[in-house]
Amino acid sequence: MKRFIRFGCLLEVIVAVALYLGAYSAGLRLPNSENADLITGRPIDTECFIHSAVDDCLSNALGRILAAMERSGYLLPGLLRPGLSDRDRQAVLADFPWQLPRELDRFYAWRDGVAEGAKVAELFPGGTMLTLSEAMAIYKLQIETAARIATLAKIEPDKLWSSRWFPVFVSHGDFYVVEGSDRPIEVSPVYFITNEDRIPVRRYASLSDMMEIVARCFEQGAFRVGDSGILQEDIKSVAAITAGYRVVSNRAPEIGNMSEIERLVHILASADGEARGEAAGRLMELHDEAAVPLLAQVIRSADPSARELATRVLAELGGDSAVPPLLNALKDPEESVRGEAAAALGQLRRPQAVDALIVALDDPATSVRMRAVWALGELKAHDAAVKLEAHLKKEEHIPLRNAIIQALGKIGDTSVIPALIEFVKESPMETRILAAAALGELGGDEAAGALRFVVEEQDRLEQTNSGNMSLDSIIKLQQARQLKLVSQQSLAKIDKGRK
């Protein structure tokens, strides 16, 4: 294990603290801790996405890697240790606090890393497979080091090395890791983490996905044995294989048996950047409810961006079947996903969403509460009026307070008129204007009386400031006229409703 672990001196620790703090202060996002299967529970970005289970896909790729290495003369006797039994694997991982993906369990049942003293060590260029015991030792060392540095830096240790990260390969002091979960999972993304900054970069959708690409690189000559007997890679060839592999995975021929809906959802779940956005846009154009159950699976996936996009698409597809996955998304650990879910439920206007949206009024994120308020207004949810009024009286965030006032106007529950009168008489001008408009929606003599008072008050203010041409007076005069105009329009609406 000494060949993999470098114990640092005091200077290295100091440098590490600085680098960790730099990464932390830059607001870097760590991988989402909630791992789940994508769409079918099988690894994405390979033909296994459709045709076979995780075990078959991983076994196929590993078998091809061994065959290619043997043909090249690289696979020497004793290079790889035999796989571990179920009992041995469980014993080594007894202290790991999370559940690792099942594909990693299958990986170590296949082989247990590189044998000690082997003349060659890499399973792929720059990647040495750790034995399970070495991986566990490195994990513990990283956790201990992160705890010490976190104490000095006064930050959470998980910001330095997540307790969920489990190393599988070491690459010149850097690591390829998978991520543990609090529940059984089939696969995990594979992240590359450098020893310097510990910024996690997602390299592969799963370990099976990674091994498939390694197999193709061997088979197509991108990985080859050099004159010195060390694995070498043709960087351009590797890039071409990786790019071509992604195209094949997303289009044809392996997923040629997919319907267009299945293909688009697959891209949304597994691709990056522009391709993912284009897939979401096309799904909205097709407006086919057949996509709903597939998108519901994406909402349970590990990728927050995919979950957020899936939520947006569900809002456009509509239908009662879209409501349950959106209600699940309303409990997502990511603020952005919860916010999208609340907005989507408001857009769909399904009454079965009211109770969950009322609960969302207590969400810790202001942006989620804002969208829940808007959604309840769109639903005209009378059951929410009492709680919205309670929030209005204590809310200090002015934009959210204004959103509540607008929602109460849409809901139409006249019991909130006294609360709105308080805000139309005394509050920031923007809030008074919105309260005046809401009173016009609610109607009644009490609302009309308050609006007449506001009109008269603004008349007096206009007369008082008419001769004052200071900038402050001009601004106040413009605001007064706007409030007066909205109040007059609301009075006209109330009068019209009486006739």
Side-chain angles (χ1 to χ4, degrees), residues 371-389:
R371 291 187 173 189
V373 166
W374 175 84
L376 289 166
E378 292 298 300
L379 283 160
K380 301 186 186 304
H382 282 262
D383 291 346
V386 172
K387 186 156 187 178
L388 284 169
E389 181 183 1

Side-chain angles (χ1 to χ4, degrees), residues 192-237:
F192 183 69
I193 301 176
T194 66
N195 196 41
E196 283 78 17
D197 55 26
R198 305 304 166 96
I199 299 174
V201 177
R202 176 171 164 153
R203 286 285 180 86
Y204 307 97
S206 67
L207 183 61
S208 302
D209 196 30
M210 180 182 185
M211 292 300 98
E212 174 65 24
I213 290 177
V214 170
R216 294 190 183 196
C217 286
F218 271 114
E219 291 167 345
Q220 298 180 37
F223 293 166
R224 59 183 181 273
V225 181
D227 295 336
S228 59
I230 297 174
L231 275 181
Q232 297 177 345
E233 65 178 324
D234 183 322
I235 295 175
K236 289 185 178 180
S237 297

Side-chain angles (χ1 to χ4, degrees), residues 330-381:
L330 201 56
K331 297 179 284 187
D332 195 275
E334 285 288 326
E335 173 185 337
S336 61
V337 179
R338 298 198 304 275
E340 288 291 344
L345 290 167
Q347 185 174 331
L348 294 181
R349 294 182 176 86
R350 292 299 194 277
Q352 58 265 46
V354 169
D355 289 344
L357 288 167
I358 290 175
V359 172
L361 292 176
D362 294 318
D363 193 281
T366 302
S367 64
V368 178
R369 298 200 301 275
M370 183 87 75
R371 291 187 173 189
V373 166
W374 175 84
L376 289 166
E378 292 298 300
L379 283 160
K380 301 186 186 304

